[in-house]
């Protein structure tokens, strides 16, 4: 072991974990992995399950690719990457089917679509192919967390405003309905997911003006 | 025949890949800056979906499903390979894209140059794998139905990306609040287009 070995949580490594949460967020800034983010967020529970599945696939996948990075020939790297992702996703899918069958039914094809989730391919290409194992692992977890928190926020608001519940527990009290409050049925429908993410982007860029685009 | 048309129209408008399932969003947002490039990408998607869905249909029904292998030997009746479907579908898609690219390059160089970089990118477009997975989930009765579903979804995706590209070209001249510029407003417009497309939902075909 060399003497000047980096500590496991050096400031550089912490940065790998924290920038994807804000400045380099995969959904609101890098525009990666939108498909699944929008489709599964009708309720909080599937959003959390999806976030965890992506975290598992990304963490392990980044480590595998980073270990293999010197043996993968550049010409066939896309196929190698797809095979690694697909095998991990099959594992996740089988685990979900065994232990969380209802959620797995609700997520339907979107578990399989983790394979083509561009966050994963994007991070493999941009990071794991050229970095050591431990930073790659942190990068994977960080990006998955940045993806996950957006999912959870969107899922929370859509479930709260759309069905009046959180985790299927009634949050909006009955007397509110008695005096005329109504759940906003529009929130359950797919297009509102886009608009909620649009609003998150708006809020984020109002705070962090450097992210504002030219046109 | 009527059935085929109904599946086709349904997959364009009611089950639109973008507005109802958000599939292929990444390239939809990234490539929709001008109408010209989005037409190219849209055509490539129609093309690839129209080929991969029927091919994966055959693989699914003659190799993967339980009891699908009986055409080899009745002994294989209990073999269920569906857990392999993700990996096989993605392999078929990746190789199909490669094949299509080579064929187009050989026979129609003009089309090849206009599609350019988009063809290889399509392998990781979620709408392509999504098409195959939906085909598996919905259990279409025969290959003609699967093909019509594949083409229909492609056309739906094409319409969506050309539509948003046209709007984005115009919106450059509007006074959008600064933090919403670019990505933010595109999300919101897509949401509004999605609401418009939802009016097709009640139509029974």
């Amino acid at each position: 072991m060399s003497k000047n070995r980096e500590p496991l949580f050096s400031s550089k490594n912490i940065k790998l974990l924290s920038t994807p949460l804000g400045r380099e967020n995969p959904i609101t800034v890098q525009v990666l992995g939108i498909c699944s983010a929008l489709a599964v967020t009708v309720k909080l529970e599937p959003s959390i399950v999806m976030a965890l599945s992506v975290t598992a696939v990304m963490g392990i996948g980044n480590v595998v690719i980073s270990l293999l990075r010197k043996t993968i020939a550049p010409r066939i790297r896309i196929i190698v990457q797809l095979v690694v992702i697909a095998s991990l996703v099959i594992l996740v899918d089988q685990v979900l089917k065994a232990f969380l069958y209802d959620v797995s039914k609700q997520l339907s094809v979107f578990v399989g679509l983790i394979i083509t989730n561009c966050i994963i391919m994007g991070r493999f290409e941009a990071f794991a192919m050229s970095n050591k194992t431990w930073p790659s692992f942190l990068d994977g977890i960080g990006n998955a967390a940045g993806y996950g928190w957006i999912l959870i926020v969107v899922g929370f608001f859509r479930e709260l405003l759309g069905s009046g519940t959180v985790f299927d527990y009634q949050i909006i009290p009955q007397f509110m309905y008695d005096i005329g409050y109504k759940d906003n049925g529009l929130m359950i429908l797919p297009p509102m997911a886009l608009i909620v993410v649009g609003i998150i982007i708006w809020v984020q860029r109002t705070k962090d003006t450097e992210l504002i685009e030219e046109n | 025949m009527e059935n085929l048309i109904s599946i086709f129209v349904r997959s364009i408008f009611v089950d639109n890949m973008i507005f109802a399932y958000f599939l292929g969003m990444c390239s939809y947002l990234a490539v929709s800056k001008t109408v010209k490039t989005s037409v190219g990408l849209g055509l490539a998607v129609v093309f690839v979906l129209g080929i991969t869905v029927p091919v994966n249909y055959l693989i699914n029904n003659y190799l993967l499903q339980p009891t699908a292998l009986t055409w080899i030997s009745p002994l294989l009746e209990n073999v269920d390979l569906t857990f392999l479907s993700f990996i096989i579908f993605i392999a078929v898609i990746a190789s199909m894209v490669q094949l299509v690219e080579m064929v187009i390059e050989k026979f129609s160089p003009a089309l090849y140059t206009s599609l350019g970089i988009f063809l290889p990118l399509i392998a990781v477009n979620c709408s392509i794998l999504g098409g195959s997975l939906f085909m598996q989930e919905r259990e279409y009765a025969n290959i003609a139905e699967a093909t019509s579903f594949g083409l229909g979804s492609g056309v739906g995706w094409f319409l969506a990306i050309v539509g948003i590209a046209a709007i984005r070209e115009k919106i450059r001249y509007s006074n959008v609040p600064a933090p919403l510029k670019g990505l933010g407003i595109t999300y919101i417009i897509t949401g509004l287009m999605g609401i418009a497309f939802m009016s097709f939902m009640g139509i029974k075909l």
Side-chain angles (χ1 to χ4, degrees), chain A residues 18 23 53 66 86 96 99 108 113 116 118 130 143 173 187 210:
Chain A
S18 63
R23 188 53 74 79
S53 315
S66 164
L96 286 184
F99 296 107
S108 82
L113 287 173
T116 47
C118 358
S130 52
N143 275 285
M187 290 303 277
E210 272 178 46

Side-chain angles (χ1 to χ4, degrees), chain A residues 37-194:
Chain A
L38 300 173
V40 299
T41 49
V42 176
K43 294 218 155 164
L44 199 50
E45 197 188 359
S47 322
I48 290 177
V49 172
M50 188 70 185
L52 290 179
S53 315
V54 171
T55 312
V57 174
M58 277 209 73
I60 303 173
N62 256 4
V63 168
V64 172
I65 291 290
S66 164
L67 287 175
L68 292 175
R69 72 183 186 279
K70 290 192 180 119
T71 41
I72 299 175
R75 297 202 62 162
I76 56 161
R77 65 180 195 286
I78 301 233
I79 293 182
V80 175
Q81 289 166 357
L82 280 176
V83 170
V84 170
I85 305 174
S87 337
L88 289 170
V89 170
I90 290 176
L91 279 180
V92 167
D93 185 44
Q94 299 288 326
V95 170
L96 286 184
K97 276 194 181 133
F99 296 107
L100 286 168
Y101 190 73
D102 293 339
V103 182
S104 145
K105 266 269 154 289
Q106 239 174 324
L107 290 175
S108 82
V109 299
F110 289 98
V111 180
L113 287 173
I114 297 179
I115 298 174
T116 47
N117 191 320
C118 358
I119 298 183
I120 300 181
M121 283 290 269
R123 291 327 290 175
F124 280 9
E125 276 286 292
F127 202 88
M129 284 298 282
S130 52
N131 280 286
K132 290 212 182 99
T133 314
W134 174 248
S136 307
F137 177 72
L138 290 181
D139 180 76
I141 300 291
N143 275 285
Y147 166 86
W149 81 259
I150 301 268
L151 241 71
I152 290 169
V153 169
V154 177
F156 174 77
F157 280 110
R158 283 183 76 193
E159 181 168 358
L160 180 66
L161 300 175
S163 329
T165 58
V166 168
F167 280 124
D168 287 330
Y169 290 110
Q170 194 67 38
I171 292 292
I172 311 277
Q174 186 57 44
F175 73 84
M176 291 282 280
Y177 290 102
D178 293 338
I179 58 174
Y181 176 81
K182 281 222 167 62
D183 287 328
N184 184 353
L186 202 57
M187 290 303 277
I188 302 177
L189 300 171
M192 281 313 282
L194 286 162

Side-chain angles (χ1 to χ4, degrees), chain B residues 61-63 65-74 76-77 79 81:
Chain B
N61 281 37
Y62 292 101
L63 286 176
Q65 288 294 320
T67 75
L69 285 168
T70 40
W71 59 273
I72 300 178
S73 141
L76 295 174
E77 196 183 352
V79 180
L81 292 177

